[in-house]
Amino acid sequence: MMKTQQKAHKNTTKRFKNMATRAHSHDAKKPQFTDPAVQDVLSRITGLELQKVFRPIKRELKLPSYKLMTDEQLNQAINNASEQAKKLLQMPLVLPERKPIDDVLSEDPFLAGMDTAKYVFTDITYNVPHRLFKCFQKFGDVGERDRLVQVYFPKEGRKLTPYHIFKEENLKMVFSMDRHEDVLDLCLVQFEPDSSDYIKVHMSTYEDLDKHGKYDLLRSTRHFGGLAWYLVNARRVDGLIVDMLKRDLLQDAVSLVSLFHMVHPHSESAQEAALQQATGADLLKVRLGFPYNKSTYTIVFF
Amino acid sequence: MVHSSVLLKQYHGGYVVLRLALAGHNQANRPFYRIVAAFNKRARDGKYIEQLGTYDPLPNIYNEKLVSFNYDRIKYWYGCGAHPTKSVAKLLGLAGFFPLHPMTVTGAERHRAQAAQMDASIIKDEEEEQG
């Protein structure tokens, strides 16, 4: 017996706002990704290596231009470059997974056998984009909705069927070639931030980076904040802290530990730190004093 | 500019119709329709006033027939006194914008009867072959 089901999907921006307020009401004390304090810490950890941000990427061939500048003008130019770099390093949103809206608007058994194919109705009103109704459809996926939105409101760079690179086996191969950044950029273009594919790809990338300790690949890119946030939420910051200390980034390590204490105020190290009122290097000592999952390191503090 | 049905009738001697117009791809055996507001007397594929959507009658690889409607503009033209054709009315009925067209139900029943008849005849043929 074929069912007629119709699904209504709301405007995307309204949905994001609703989700943010709902998450906030659940645990009002827990800091979210979009908090200004959290964002501040994450942007500081990301760093601002101009050489890496503006490294040559594949684009149209243009002759290089040479300018004669005074020292002041040079400083001005460097400031402008760092401003633009900050814009380029804007972190993409981290959102919880979107639930498929499965509103059955009407079930009409007397329409069974009408047609072998499903009908998909899209609303293409100018000021209300991304609205979809579906007919004769048993189970709708979020992925289907994304595909149909791409059909009627195409976004540059997106494909209707996702790239083969996002499959498990291919991801492993790409990670062995150290091209995590390219994968994440492609994922940003192809998927919506709250679709399950996006979250899956990001999770596997971050896991792989954590396993091999290749945090430096993402430093000074827009994905570093997301990586740090994921590790903080999974309570596996130790590898990242050790990596930072190895590269003599003491301030970054301190801010990372403070972020961890912000997000998990009930953990042991956070309570210890609150007791001792530790700041700076003392905070690090407090954190590293507790047992962590990697093999013990001996770190000498100067 | 508001199109009033009285003015339209006086000036153009016809009424506005919401119908399916074949999009001229000049390709045999591959139809694709545009849902269009046009004057009644114009050619089906000729000059129309406004395009209000699309309808692809052939199902794609996911077995879907894609239909799109610009509901805002359809409401406007319906308010100006446009008449939808049978196929457009059926599609809008399935979408939920209009109430269900009665011929949709009749069509479904006919399809089912035909399918049942086909099954019965197949079973009969198999029995004859065996016996």
Side-chain angles (χ1 to χ4, degrees), chain A residues 223-270:
Chain A
H223 307 289
F224 196 79
L227 169 67
W229 182 252
Y230 174 78
L231 290 173
V232 163
N233 277 336
R235 294 168 151 248
R236 278 183 293 164
V237 257
D238 306 311
L240 187 53
I241 297 178
V242 168
D243 181 73
M244 279 176 177
L245 291 172
K246 274 191 200 161
R247 292 173 205 276
D248 289 332
L249 296 164
L250 204 61
Q251 275 304 310
D252 286 354
V254 167
S255 31
L256 182 63
V257 175
S258 57
L259 176 69
F260 182 82
H261 291 165
M262 244 199 286
V263 173
H264 299 284
H266 304 294
S267 65
E268 297 172 331
S269 57

Side-chain angles (χ1 to χ4, degrees), chain A residues 4 6 108-127 131 133-137 144 147-148 151-152 160-161, chain B residues 50-55 59-73 91-96 100 104-105 107-109 111-112:
Chain A
T4 348
Q6 289 176 323
D108 303 315
F110 48 79
L111 279 179
M114 197 191 97
D115 210 336
T116 45
K118 305 171 218 158
Y119 282 82
V120 180
F121 296 96
T122 320
D123 181 3
I124 49 174
T125 331
Y126 300 124
N127 53 354
R131 210 196 274 171
F133 282 91
K134 224 169 266 186
C135 190
F136 288 89
Q137 171 66 26
E144 235 170 50
R147 174 168 54 87
L148 288 157
V151 167
Y152 287 108
L160 284 179
T161 40
Chain B
E50 191 180 348
Q51 184 186 347
L52 305 168
T54 53
Y55 168 52
N60 62 11
I61 46 173
Y62 304 100
N63 203 25
E64 294 163 350
K65 292 189 183 175
L66 297 177
V67 186
S68 67
F69 289 118
N70 188 342
Y71 290 117
D72 188 33
R73 295 304 296 168
L91 284 173
L92 285 169
L94 279 175
L100 248 198
T104 339
V105 187
E109 287 173 2
H111 266 254
R112 258 178 289 160

Side-chain angles (χ1 to χ4, degrees), chain A residues 57-75:
Chain A
I57 41 175
K58 236 185 188 178
R59 49 159 73 132
E60 270 180 51
L61 260 182
K62 238 187 343 178
L63 289 171
S65 60
Y66 298 96
K67 293 185 192 164
L68 192 64
M69 289 199 237
T70 59
D71 273 335
E72 280 176 9
Q73 281 175 332
L74 184 64
N75 289 333

Side-chain angles (χ1 to χ4, degrees), chain A residues 38-58:
Chain A
V38 174
Q39 285 285 308
D40 191 41
V41 172
L42 289 174
S43 51
R44 253 187 291 142
I45 307 178
T46 313
L48 199 68
E49 236 181 301
L50 288 175
Q51 286 294 325
K52 191 172 177 196
V53 174
F54 292 117
R55 73 183 180 287
I57 41 175
K58 236 185 188 178

